[in-house]
Amino acid sequence: MAGNPRIGILSLQGDVREHEHVLQGLGADTLRVRRPAELVEVDALVIPGGESTVIDKLSRSFGLQEPIRQAIRDGMPMLGTCAGLIMLADALTDAAEGQQTFGGLDVRVQRNAFGRQTESFEVALIVPALGAQPVRAAFIRGPVITAVGPGASTLAALPDGRVVAVEQGPLIGISFHPEITGETRFHERLLDSVTSR
Ligand code: GLN
């Protein structure tokens, strides 16, 4: 690959700027993706947190749902945080009426599993694949992963056993927001899967 990896950030809704900041700090070039022509320009895609029902609807009206599903089938590395995890899940609990996902992760995800916005919290989370130093994980109306199918593997669980991070080949899905606590290792892992592709 010539030059820096070019990482797209799905920019229909959600915390796009925080991801740009982390990725640029790691030396990647970033591109905001709102249309299919932009998706073909990138080596990987971040699906940010926000509101999955809105990201779903806008991705369909911008003609991005099928191109993103095809990119997943083609093995494009992707990182989904919070609503982004919901978008990458094959199955949802507590989906809104008619809500669709891109799929790709062989998991079932329960939306809003931690209650309301006011019940947001931060924890130090051990993610063995990222080393001994715990991750500072901010949960903001996050989902939990209630079932992990044979295709996916668990990256992290809370002390009570609830799974909050999974991986399946080049796809990473996490319930929380590493981009707002200065945590860069998930984005580094995404960049690694671009360079090893
Ligand atoms: N509760 C939101 C949803 O269902 C996700 C929240 C977030 O991304 N911080 O999409």
Side-chain angles (χ1 to χ4, degrees):
M1 192 171 53
N4 295 337
R6 196 174 214 204
I7 311 302
I9 303 164
L10 187 62
S11 300
L12 302 170
Q13 189 262 341
D15 72 329
V16 171
R17 268 205 292 185
E18 289 77 0
H19 285 285
E20 273 174 351
H21 190 75
V22 174
L23 289 163
Q24 289 166 4
L26 293 171
D29 294 333
T30 60
L31 182 71
R32 295 186 178 196
V33 171
R34 285 195 197 86
R35 41 183 59 91
E38 290 153 351
L39 185 65
V40 300
E41 296 290 316
V42 300
D43 302 309
L45 186 69
V46 171
I47 307 176
E51 182 52 49
S52 58
T53 53
V54 176
I55 296 173
D56 166 38
K57 280 196 194 127
L58 290 176
S59 69
R60 285 189 266 159
S61 54
F62 281 66
L64 271 169
Q65 187 193 59
E66 192 44 42
I68 288 175
R69 286 178 172 170
Q70 186 59 47
I72 291 168
R73 287 192 288 270
D74 292 345
M76 181 185 280
M78 297 194 191
L79 168 64
T81 62
C82 205
L85 160 66
I86 294 170
M87 292 306 302
L88 287 175
D90 282 347
L92 296 185
T93 300
D94 293 338
E97 173 84 26
Q99 181 172 4
Q100 298 178 17
T101 70
F102 303 133
L105 288 173
D106 182 13
V107 296
R108 172 170 286 279
V109 163
Q110 181 176 3
R111 295 181 61 218
N112 301 329
F114 299 101
R116 310 179 58 78
Q117 190 88 30
T118 48
E119 290 157 52
S120 299
F121 61 100
E122 249 182 72
V123 291
L125 190 70
I126 300 288
V127 184
L130 300 183
Q133 178 76 22
V135 164
R136 277 228 70 77
F139 288 82
I140 306 168
R141 286 182 69 227
V144 291
I145 299 147
T146 53
V148 181
S153 53
T154 298
L155 285 178
L158 292 170
D160 65 9
R162 286 185 291 179
V163 176
V164 291
V166 290
E167 183 169 59
Q168 181 165 350
L171 303 179
I172 304 168
I174 56 187
S175 299
F176 48 89
H177 291 269
E179 72 284 2
I180 64 174
T181 55
E183 172 58 58
T184 61
R185 285 171 288 172
F186 288 101
H187 296 79
E188 285 169 47
R189 198 168 176 87
L190 180 72
L191 295 177
D192 286 347
S193 67
V194 171
T195 43
S196 66
R197 225 185 141 187

